């Protein structure tokens, strides 16, 4: 039987199989008042824009960008953990009584150009940006009323970095703007005093955290609140549920804002619009709840550092692979770069982002707005991953097959987009309706195969029941188009 006859059942089956993956992508209905508890907050549908966006840029920028050594945890590694490498670094390069606070005056950002950043992120193919408004050292990139003398307006750049970047992003692109905010601060006296009192008092939350959170949302209208530092205290101490309820109910971004899962220990992978679970989280299997893979182009540090070699940076091919494998499993990627103290982005970071942008220009159709296919990767042919176009209109199903390794030896490839044994067909038959097994599902009448970026070139292919044999166009033609890192075949079944 032709596939058009059983397409409605196939579509219905797909919806059942991946309903968990798509339930969070529903469009919010009439406004609901959410209560300040997880049971209520977890019922909020994920705003559609985030699920469609897939790709974001993360920026770790702050006083730690001045020493540019080790990582953004420089201060605590030096003073709390007494790491010998950090101690030796300071002894070799700074006077004996030098303090971390003195780095702030050297955090000059004299070459920071928010418009250049915004245009680069636009060219990268990203759809949202998240800036660290305040990391664990407590230094804020905006003139916080509750961080006197320890913010980017009072010392260092003498500029409102958050405001400038938010304005440039919104003027130069359609990207969504978001803010990272660390709940705790290593050496803030209010925080350390609350810890001494076993968190039975909340002076740090009342006088620092909550006023700054409200200030950021009301002044800069971020559509992502990326919370961090959740491991230090429970969500009840941070009053996280109260803040998120305000975000969802009454904030100026209540209809579009999304939150992650770092709101107190025990909340990771449990609560929030999307889950981070852990840094560089990429499980490689389908996740029912929307999630995000936040990873660094510098493999070990989120902040800028100069004690680095070429091998420490992800290659463009590795970045593309991370995007594909993440999106195939219902995730977004948040790709981190660490700007320099001068306000520039190193050429190696720029190269990676521009390579990503060129790849997405050709292959983004299979990434943006996609949803998981019933199979995330091909279990017969390795290094092949799948996504599906959201719409199955006019009786069509469109699957994208991403080939991560080029078949140089043969220039040909076998893939199994319907599974090893066409499990879809067998499961449809389990409904008790005999759909017939006489005809081939993949045939010239029902199936179209196109290589993205080579749409004007007819792709040679044959099918044998569940196996799709594809012949790549000549490699020199592919290279001439600038197609690299991964190759995408669009398979449309009618």
């Amino acid at each position: 039987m032709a596939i058009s006859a059983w397409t409605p059942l196939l579509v219905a089956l797909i919806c059942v199989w991946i309903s968990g993956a798509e339930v969070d992508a529903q469009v919010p209905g009439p406004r609901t008042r959410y209560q300040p508890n997880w049971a209520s907050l977890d019922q909020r549908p994920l705003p559609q824009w985030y699920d469609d966006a897939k790709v974001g840029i993360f920026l770790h920028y702050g006083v730690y960008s001045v020493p540019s050594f080790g990582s953004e945890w420089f201060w605590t590694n030096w003073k709390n953990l007494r790491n010998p490498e950090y101690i030796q670094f300071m002894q070799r390069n700074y006077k004996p009584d030098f303090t971390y606070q003195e780095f702030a005056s050297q955090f000059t950002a004299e070459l920071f150009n928010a418009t250049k950043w915004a245009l680069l992120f636009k060219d990268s193919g990203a759809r949202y940006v998240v800036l660290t408004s305040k990391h664990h050292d407590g230094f804020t990139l905006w003139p916080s009323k509750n961080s006197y003398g320890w913010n980017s307006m009072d010392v260092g750049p003498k500029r409102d970095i958050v405001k400038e970047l938010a304005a440039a992003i919104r003027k130069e692109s359609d990207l969504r703007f978001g803010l990272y905010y660390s709940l705790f601060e290593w050496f803030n006296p209010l925080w350390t005093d609350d810890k001494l009192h076993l968190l039975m008092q909340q002076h740090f939350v009342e006088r620092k955290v909550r006023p700054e959170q409200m200030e950021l949302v009301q002044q800069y209208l971020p559509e992502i609140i990326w919370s961090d530092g959740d491991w230090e205290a429970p969500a009840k101490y941070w009053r996280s549920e109260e803040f998120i309820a305000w975000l969802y109910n009454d904030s100026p971004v209540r209809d579009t804002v999304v939150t992650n899962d770092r709101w107190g220990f025990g909340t990771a992978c449990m609560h929030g619009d999307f889950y981070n679970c852990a840094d560089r989280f990429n499980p490689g299997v389908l996740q029912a709840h929307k999630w995000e893979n936040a990873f660094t182009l510098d493999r070990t540090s989120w902040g800028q550092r100069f004690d680095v070699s070429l091998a420490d940076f992800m290659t463009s091919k590795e970045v593309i692979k991370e995007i594909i494998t993440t999106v195939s499993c219902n995730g977004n990627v948040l790709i981190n770069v660490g700007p320099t103290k001068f306000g520039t982005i190193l050429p190696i970071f720029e190269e990676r982002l521009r390579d990503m942008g060129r790849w997405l220009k050709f292959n983004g159709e299979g990434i943006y707005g996609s949803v998981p296919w019933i199979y995330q990767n091909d279990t017969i042919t390795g290094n092949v991953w799948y996504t599906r176009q959201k719409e199955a209109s006019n009786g069509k199903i469109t699957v994208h097959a991403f080939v991560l390794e080029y078949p140089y030896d043969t220039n040909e490839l076998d893939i199994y987009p319907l599974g090893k044994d066409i499990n879809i067909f067998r499961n449809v038959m389990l409904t008790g309706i005999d759909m017939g097994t006489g005809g081939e599902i993949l045939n010239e009448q029902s199936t179209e195969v196109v290589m993205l970026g080579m749409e004007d070139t007819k792709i040679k292919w044959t099918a044998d029941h569940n196996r799709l044999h594809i012949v790549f166009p000549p490699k020199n033609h592919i290279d001439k188009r600038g197609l690299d890192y991964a190759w995408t075949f669009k398979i449309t079944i009618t």
Side-chain angles (χ1 to χ4, degrees), residues 89-255:
F89 174 81
M90 293 304 298
Q91 289 174 342
R92 287 194 304 264
N93 298 287
Y94 296 91
K95 61 185 180 181
D97 58 347
F98 192 90
T99 66
Y100 183 82
Q101 287 85 339
E102 290 180 84
F103 282 130
S105 62
Q106 300 176 39
F107 179 49
T108 49
E110 66 265 36
L111 299 179
F112 171 63
N113 185 321
T115 298
K116 288 184 66 174
W117 283 21
L119 292 174
L120 171 61
F121 302 151
K122 179 181 178 181
D123 290 346
S124 78
R127 295 294 173 87
Y128 60 100
V129 174
V130 179
L131 171 68
T132 48
S133 66
K134 185 200 75 169
H135 203 257
H136 310 323
D137 62 3
F139 188 88
T140 68
L141 293 187
W142 84 99
S144 167
K145 297 181 178 66
N146 298 91
S147 190
Y148 180 76
W150 194 234
N151 66 72
S152 63
M153 187 65 80
D154 289 346
V155 62
K158 304 295 179 66
R159 301 165 70 174
D160 187 338
I161 302 295
V162 173
K163 180 179 180 180
E164 290 187 38
L165 185 59
I169 291 292
R170 288 163 177 153
K171 179 182 178 182
E172 303 295 339
S173 74
D174 295 326
L175 277 68
R176 308 277 183 152
F177 180 73
L179 291 171
Y180 164 110
Y181 182 84
S182 171
L183 294 171
F184 83 104
E185 300 172 19
W186 289 309
F187 300 102
N188 189 301
L190 287 172
W191 165 241
T192 56
D193 186 58
D194 279 1
K195 286 204 295 184
L196 286 173
H197 286 81
L198 304 179
L199 304 180
M200 298 303 291
Q201 63 185 33
Q202 296 170 299
H203 295 164
F204 180 61
V205 176
E206 295 164 353
R207 303 175 191 175
K208 187 69 161 63
V209 175
R210 187 51 39 80
E212 287 189 336
Q213 289 174 325
M214 301 289 284
E215 192 177 334
L216 284 172
V217 173
Q218 292 172 335
Q219 289 191 22
Y220 305 106
L221 307 178
E223 293 180 275
I224 308 105
I225 300 295
W226 213 98
S227 183
D228 196 19
D230 52 304
W231 59 87
E232 289 283 332
K236 293 298 182 185
Y237 167 79
W238 300 114
R239 298 180 183 173
S240 295
E241 292 155 296
E242 295 176 15
F243 175 63
I244 298 173
W246 174 79
L247 274 179
Y248 292 173
N249 292 327
D250 302 309
S251 78
V253 290
R254 60 183 177 268
D255 293 328

